[in-house]
Amino acid sequence: MLSNVLNVQYGIQGSIEFKEGGAGFSFVHIKNANGEAVISLYGGQVTHLQLKDDEPILWVSPLSEFTPGKAIRGGIPICWPWFGPHSSDPLLPQHGIARISNWSVVNTCLLEGDQVRVILRCDQDRIDQLAKWEGVELELSITLGKTLRLDLCTRNRKREAIVVGGALHTYFRVEDIHQIAVQGLESTHYRDKLDQYKRKFQEGGVVFTGETDREYLDTKSDCILIDKAKSRSLKVSKEGSNTTVLWNPWQVRSEEMADFSDNGFKQMVCIEAAITANDEQIIAPGENHILSQTITLL
Ligand code: BG6
C-alpha cells in the first residue's frame, strides 16, 4: 500500500500520517496542538481543516466524486496554470490540470512554534504533456501552525517567459449563507460574471442573496468571513494575487451540478486567492511565482 511506504519515508509520529481513503486515494493527516488538516495526494487538495477544536472550516460536498479525472468538490482545489476556461482551447479542463493530477511528497518536517509542514509536487509528466508548459514545476507547501498557510510555487525552468494564472479556490463551510458577510472588499471594483462581466463597485461588506460569481480587482486585502449563525469569524489573507473571487452557485446552479448537493449552497462560500485572465503573472526564465493563502480563526 502506498500509505505504508509513505509513512516509513515521510511519517512523523503524532504529527503526520498517511492513510488510504475513498476510491483508493491517499491522504496526509497532519496535526499539532492547535488543530488538524487532511490533504488528498490526488489534486494536492486540502479536504479538511479544524483549528482550536472549533467545527470544521472547509466544506466538501457529500456528493463529491473521488474519481481520477474529476475534481474533488470542496476543500481547497488548486486551479493552475489557468483560471476558468482555457483562453484558446475549450477542450482543455476548466481551472487547469493541477486539481485533477496526482501529487507526490517532496518533504515533511516540524518547524519551530509547533508548525507541521508538508511539501507536495504536481505530477511532472502531466505538466509536461501540456503544450508550452514542459519543464515548468509546481510545488505546494502546506503549513499548519496557529493558522493554515498554503504556498503554491510555480518555477519556470524554461528558456522563455511563461504566463501563469490560477487560484487557491477555498470552499468555506458556513452555517447559513443568508447570515454571513465578507468584509475587506469595500470600495473595490469587481467584474460580475453573471452580468456579462460588467464592472461594478462594491460599497460595503458583501452579503449573499442569490447566485454570486465575482472577480474583485486590484485587491490584496485580507477578507474577514463573518458567520453570525455559527458565531465564528475567519481571516483569509493572501499574497501573490491581485484578484479575489467570491463564488456561490445558489439553488438552481447547484441543482445542475451532479456533485453538488441540492441545498449545499446554503452551507458554503468560496473565497479565492486568484490570478485571473485579467492579471496573469509573467514569470521570467529561472524565476518563481508564489501564490499564498492563510486561514486564521479569529
Ligand atoms: C469559480 C468560478 O472560481 O469556480 C465560477 O468563478 C465557477 O465561474 C466555479 O463556476 C466552479 O468551477 P468548477 O469548475 O469547479 O465547477
Side-chain angles (χ1 to χ4, degrees):
M1 256 209 226
L2 178 62
S3 56
N4 292 342
V5 178
L6 289 169
N7 276 320
V8 171
Q9 214 176 344
Y10 297 109
I12 301 179
Q13 183 74 33
S15 301
I16 298 184
E17 188 182 4
F18 292 84
K19 292 184 190 174
E20 243 55 64
F25 287 0
S26 298
F27 293 82
V28 198
H29 293 243
I30 61 177
K31 65 177 171 191
N32 64 5
N34 192 59
E36 59 182 40
V38 178
I39 305 129
S40 165
L41 292 187
Y42 175 75
Q45 191 157 335
V46 180
T47 54
H48 167 74
L49 170 65
Q50 216 160 335
L51 294 172
K52 290 187 195 148
D53 289 333
D54 200 48
E55 287 173 39
I57 285 175
L58 302 176
W59 181 85
V60 177
S61 170
L63 299 183
S64 177
E65 292 187 57
F66 287 79
T67 307
K70 298 214 165 154
I72 299 169
R73 175 70 69 192
I76 312 184
I78 308 293
C79 304
W80 185 92
W82 57 85
F83 180 83
H86 186 267
S87 56
S88 56
D89 185 347
L91 295 178
L92 286 171
Q94 151 112 335
H95 288 325
I97 52 121
R99 65 180 182 161
I100 49 170
S101 295
N102 291 314
W103 293 60
S104 56
V105 184
V106 176
N107 196 12
T108 55
C109 59
L110 300 181
L111 301 167
E112 256 179 50
D114 194 23
Q115 297 189 89
V116 186
R117 178 169 291 165
V118 176
I119 300 176
L120 305 178
R121 181 171 297 160
C122 187
D123 181 3
Q124 195 60 48
D125 289 342
R126 186 73 179 84
I127 297 174
D128 289 348
Q129 282 162 16
L130 270 184
K132 297 194 199 148
W133 289 90
E134 194 178 352
V136 177
E137 296 172 0
L138 184 65
E139 229 170 67
L140 176 67
S141 165
I142 300 149
T143 309
L144 177 69
K146 290 201 167 75
T147 63
L148 183 82
R149 180 180 171 111
L150 267 61
D151 294 290
L152 183 71
C153 179
T154 305
R155 288 203 189 100
N156 183 5
R157 301 280 195 226
K158 293 165 69 84
R159 291 200 178 147
E160 64 266 27
I162 54 169
V163 181
V164 74
L168 299 170
H169 189 306
T170 310
Y171 287 74
F172 289 96
R173 179 192 287 253
V174 300
E175 189 66 30
D176 175 8
I177 187 73
H178 302 93
Q179 296 185 61
I180 68 162
V182 175
Q183 292 181 344
L185 297 168
E186 301 78 15
S187 307
T188 303
H189 284 99
Y190 63 90
R191 296 197 312 159
D192 189 346
K193 282 206 203 176
L194 303 174
D195 190 10
Q196 299 161 345
Y197 281 87
K198 274 188 198 146
R199 197 179 157 95
K200 299 183 179 174
F201 187 70
Q202 182 70 45
E203 302 269 357
V206 184
V207 290
F208 296 81
T209 54
E211 187 181 353
T212 304
D213 194 353
R214 301 174 180 175
E215 296 179 359
Y216 286 84
L217 308 169
D218 300 320
T219 175
K220 295 183 187 299
S221 301
D222 296 346
C223 285
I224 308 290
L225 169 58
I226 301 170
D227 187 333
K228 287 176 203 135
K230 229 186 234 312
S231 301
R232 173 163 90 180
S233 294
L234 296 167
K235 180 167 84 173
V236 188
S237 44
K238 61 172 189 165
E239 288 164 41
S241 147
N242 295 319
T243 305
T244 297
V245 173
L246 296 186
W247 181 62
N248 182 294
W250 221 254
Q251 182 100 44
V252 175
R253 277 260 357 249
S254 54
E255 282 170 8
E256 286 165 5
M257 285 184 278
D259 61 356
F260 221 101
S261 43
D262 288 355
N263 278 322
F265 78 95
K266 291 182 183 162
Q267 261 79 55
M268 55 71 62
V269 67
C270 287
I271 303 179
E272 309 168 34
I275 308 170
T276 60
N278 255 351
D279 65 356
E280 284 179 320
Q281 300 285 323
I282 298 169
I283 312 179
E287 298 291 318
N288 301 337
H289 174 268
I290 300 179
L291 174 65
S292 308
Q293 191 182 53
T294 303
I295 301 169
T296 310
L297 179 64
L298 297 177

